[in-house]
Amino acid sequence: MPLLPPSTNAEYRGHPAAPLFLLLAAVLSLVPALIHSFLPDGGAGVIAGLDMDDRQDLVISVFRWQGATQLAFGLALLAVALRYRSLTSLFLVLGMVERGLMALHGWVLSPPASGHHPPQHYGSVAAVVLGGLFLVLSLRPRPSPEPHSR
């Protein structure tokens, strides 16, 4: 039994831009995943601007955990964008839920006391809006080609 089942790309009927957006989302998930996983401070200090004081080990561990989940989701997005496009709408919704919760926490429920927002807070708001646009496109079936009449 192969690791991956056959491609479902031929079954996808939505706008072709939606899987391309998922491909971009995959890259934009994988890059921070690698930063959080492999940068010495996980990006907590040099990118997010967090003052880690005596909790440095805890903060870096949390960033590494986040990097692991981002890496797994980013690889799933990549698989859908390249091989399983029939799942595009579902993964757009999942991405909107993930980024919507990040935006809600970053801006409303637990904004940083310092007032400094890391790039992810801004990107999450944009991702929800763009995800909604591409979700609509993915759900609208493409018109079928009309047969040529003579």
Side-chain angles (χ1 to χ4, degrees), residues 30-145:
L30 292 170
V31 169
L34 295 172
I35 288 170
H36 294 323
S37 295
F38 300 109
L39 206 63
D41 71 348
V46 297
I47 295 174
L50 296 179
D51 180 13
M52 296 181 276
D53 289 331
D54 61 339
R55 303 305 307 221
Q56 182 172 353
D57 290 344
L58 174 66
V59 172
I60 292 173
S61 294
V62 170
F63 270 62
R64 298 227 189 286
W65 171 78
Q66 176 63 26
T69 61
Q70 283 177 312
L71 186 60
F73 189 60
L75 290 172
L77 289 171
L78 192 61
V80 170
L82 298 178
R83 192 166 165 91
Y84 304 107
R85 292 185 181 159
S86 62
L87 298 173
T88 295
S89 300
L90 172 64
F91 273 76
L92 286 168
V93 169
L94 292 173
M96 290 172 63
V97 168
E98 176 197 40
R99 297 301 168 164
L101 288 170
M102 287 178 173
L104 181 65
H105 285 289
W107 291 99
V108 179
L109 299 178
S110 52
S114 69
H116 170 76
H117 289 275
Q120 197 70 3
H121 288 180
Y122 298 96
S124 291
V125 173
V128 170
V129 173
L130 290 171
L133 170 70
F134 285 99
L135 176 62
V136 169
L137 290 175
S138 75
L139 294 171
R140 294 177 66 187
R142 284 182 280 185
S144 34

